[in-house]
Amino acid sequence: MIKNVVIVGGGAAGWIVANAIKYYETNSFGDYTVNITLVESLGNEPLGIGEGTTGSVVRVLKLFGLDLASVNGTLKYGINYAGWCSSAPYDNHYNPFYAYEDSQEIFDLFGGSFESVFDPAKLNHQDVSKTGWHLEVSELIALLKARSITAGCQHIVGEVTDCLLDSAGNIESVVLADGTNLQADLYVDCSGFSQVLVSKLGSTFTDHSSGLLCDSAIMTNLPTANTESFYWTKATALDAGWVWNIPLKDKTSTGYVYSSQFVSDIQAKAEFNQHLGTDQDFSVVRWSDRLLDESFKKNCVAIGLSSCFVEPLEATSLEVICDLAFRVGDMLYYNKVQERKSDFNSRYRFSKDLFSSYIFFRYLLATKNDTDFWAHVTSLVVPPRIQTFLEEAQPGLFNISGNEISVTKPTNWNLSLESGSNVLYWLYLCAGVGKDIA
């Protein structure tokens, strides 16, 4: 049985994993304990940027006992897409973003028609149990960190300088800059793009760049307070990508996600400043789309950005982290790590394919084509891996030929995330851009 865990990385992923493991410990029957050591890099302070979540993330955070009122957040009913299509009313439409288990129920909540994607006032705003949340990441991490430490997690501030392997290729120990040697039964890599641990294991990757349309972002906060009871995340199309607006209580978080193939960083900054009516400089974040073939390899599991990247358009990163973190906690509690490792890797790949496919479709179905980037987007064809995934996950929903897509209204409303995400969310995507649903 695994009794000692070392987590490398003190961002949201690392602290969510620590909380998930401690959740099983706190709620176990009998004498079940896991010793957790989390190593956090010095000066790795989280950005005070807002992030949207899905309803499933809210449920997880409440399981941890966190007070969401203290994360500087607002209720989130979904995403408002502005300017992605070239004509009204499709140039301004809405997708509800619930903790969705029952498609028919959500369909009724959202006015009982697909046309309601253009009139969010028809949404039942009283049913807050099905909302997501806008939150400030740094505030969330502070809460997760405090709860983990209170539950007995050892917190070390230091730099990992080496990772020693045994003769079988498993991690034997992690070495810190001060010479500290940390040994454990299981290691969790939450170190982000640096991949401190998995990079030592000879891990292989699959290139998913064919489905990655934007690879850069710049971001800031605006001093605009938000005092309403509910909000939508807003995604506004610009020349080479889109801008997010996430309403927090005391400010509005915003950022420009763009393609460096179609605009330089200097041009992107100028366009973003013009959009905001500001004159400021921004740091550029760049990413690639490489999927670890095995998130769980040997005695190390990668969670968060160390395993894969999904463009932030649908606010799904925390959802994937929470799902995988609880699967780790479950494997440890039931002492089924080796038996469930393959299932864990399958679930990880499924989640990546699911959300990447949805985001690609979001772009593909846009009709804006007045810039080089959007002309490129509207000319795309569905990559074979995404087409195969959709045919298996949502059989009969789409008929795809090149970039021509037809949609069929399902007879089974209750398709869950396990079988390819809530089917209604896909249908609202299509309705919002004027795609007929037969």
Side-chain angles (χ1 to χ4, degrees):
M1 177 174 283
I2 289 175
K3 303 298 292 183
N4 298 287
V5 175
V6 167
I7 301 171
V8 176
W15 290 114
I16 287 174
V17 172
N19 274 273
I21 295 174
K22 286 298 181 183
Y23 173 83
Y24 279 87
E25 181 180 301
T26 302
N27 294 277
S28 66
F29 297 97
D31 185 21
Y32 172 74
T33 59
V34 177
N35 301 312
I36 301 175
T37 301
L38 187 146
V39 182
E40 184 174 24
S41 297
L42 181 65
N44 188 25
E45 295 296 323
L47 296 173
I49 294 295
E51 183 159 346
T53 68
T54 62
S56 58
V57 173
V58 172
R59 291 203 307 274
V60 167
L61 299 180
K62 288 181 178 179
L63 281 178
F64 291 160
L66 301 185
D67 178 12
L68 293 181
S70 61
V71 293
N72 195 28
T74 61
L75 286 173
K76 173 184 176 181
Y77 274 94
I79 303 177
N80 171 207
Y81 295 93
W84 288 64
C85 293
S86 54
S87 61
Y90 312 111
D91 58 342
N92 190 56
H93 61 274
Y94 297 78
N95 277 155
F97 214 16
Y98 293 110
Y100 30 71
E101 282 82 21
D102 190 320
S103 295
Q104 185 66 62
E105 178 186 358
I106 297 167
F107 188 61
D108 294 340
L109 281 170
F110 205 57
S113 73
F114 292 113
E115 289 73 21
S116 59
V117 296
F118 312 114
D119 185 7
K122 292 182 178 180
L123 179 65
N124 179 1
H125 296 140
Q126 304 305 312
D127 194 348
V128 298
S129 67
K130 297 185 179 299
T131 63
W133 200 263
H134 299 115
L135 51 82
E136 188 165 351
V137 177
S138 58
E139 298 289 340
L140 173 63
I141 291 174
L143 287 179
L144 292 166
K145 179 178 179 178
R147 184 186 182 280
S148 297
I149 294 174
T150 299
C153 177
Q154 182 185 9
H155 176 221
I156 296 177
V157 177
E159 296 291 332
V160 174
T161 57
D162 204 357
C163 176
L164 305 181
L165 308 182
D166 64 17
S167 58
N170 290 295
I171 297 177
E172 187 171 71
S173 66
V174 167
V175 182
L176 306 187
D178 64 1
T180 301
N181 195 292
L182 300 175
Q183 293 184 311
D185 306 307
L186 177 70
Y187 298 83
V188 186
D189 190 338
C190 297
S191 62
F193 291 133
S194 59
Q195 300 174 320
V196 169
L197 301 184
V198 295
S199 63
K200 303 290 187 179
L201 297 177
S203 300
T204 57
F205 298 84
T206 298
D207 182 12
H208 278 194
S209 58
S210 62
L212 181 69
L213 298 179
C214 291
D215 62 357
S216 309
I218 50 181
M219 62 201 76
T220 189
N221 288 313
L222 302 175
T224 306
N226 300 282
T227 58
E228 299 297 326
S229 58
F230 73 93
Y231 289 93
W232 299 77
T233 300
K234 189 166 188 177
T236 303
L238 290 191
D239 286 356
W242 58 278
V243 166
W244 80 72
N245 268 60
I246 294 179
L248 302 175
K249 284 183 180 178
D250 65 354
K251 57 180 169 281
T252 297
S253 178
T254 184
Y256 184 14
V257 178
Y258 60 94
S259 170
S260 64
Q261 297 182 40
F262 290 90
V263 66
S264 69
D265 294 337
I266 293 175
Q267 291 170 322
K269 291 177 182 180
E271 185 185 10
F272 191 35
N273 269 317
Q274 182 178 26
H275 174 76
L276 299 177
T278 61
D279 182 14
Q280 55 183 303
D281 196 14
F282 311 97
S283 296
V284 177
V285 178
R286 197 94 69 201
W287 57 79
S288 61
D289 195 357
R290 297 196 310 160
L291 178 73
L292 266 178
D293 293 327
E294 294 177 282
S295 174
F296 203 150
K297 183 172 183 177
K298 300 292 186 178
N299 62 341
C300 178
V301 57
I303 294 180
L305 293 175
S306 58
S307 62
C308 67
F309 179 83
V310 178
E311 187 180 321
L313 179 60
E314 293 292 321
T316 51
S317 62
L318 287 178
E319 180 173 337
V320 175
I321 289 169
C322 288
D323 178 43
L324 297 183
F326 264 88
R327 288 173 187 271
V328 169
D330 187 78
M331 287 190 290
L332 298 188
Y333 179 67
Y334 291 104
N335 195 23
K336 298 287 186 181
V337 172
Q338 295 306 318
E339 295 91 333
R340 297 181 182 178
K341 183 183 288 187
S342 177
D343 289 341
F344 181 94
N345 283 325
S346 295
R347 174 63 183 192
Y348 149 75
R349 288 190 294 268
F350 175 86
S351 296
K352 163 64 175 174
D353 284 341
L354 168 64
F355 295 125
S356 294
S357 298
Y358 188 91
I359 290 170
F360 186 87
F361 252 55
R362 164 59 61 188
Y363 280 103
L364 186 66
L365 294 179
T367 60
K368 176 181 173 64
N369 63 357
D370 56 350
T371 68
D372 290 343
F373 170 77
W374 288 103
H376 167 71
V377 167
T378 54
S379 69
L380 291 171
V381 298
V382 180
R385 67 175 181 83
I386 292 180
Q387 182 165 347
T388 299
F389 172 79
L390 290 175
E391 289 170 351
E392 294 175 351
Q394 296 280 23
L397 186 62
F398 299 109
N399 181 24
I400 303 170
S401 177
N403 66 352
E404 294 297 321
I405 301 168
S406 59
V407 190
T408 303
K409 188 175 180 179
T411 56
N412 176 15
W413 284 93
N414 296 318
L415 296 177
S416 69
L417 187 64
E418 299 296 333
S419 59
S421 175
N422 175 275
V423 65
L424 185 59
Y425 202 61
W426 293 81
L427 296 180
Y428 275 133
L429 182 159
C430 297
V433 298
K435 180 66 65 175
D436 291 332
I437 301 173

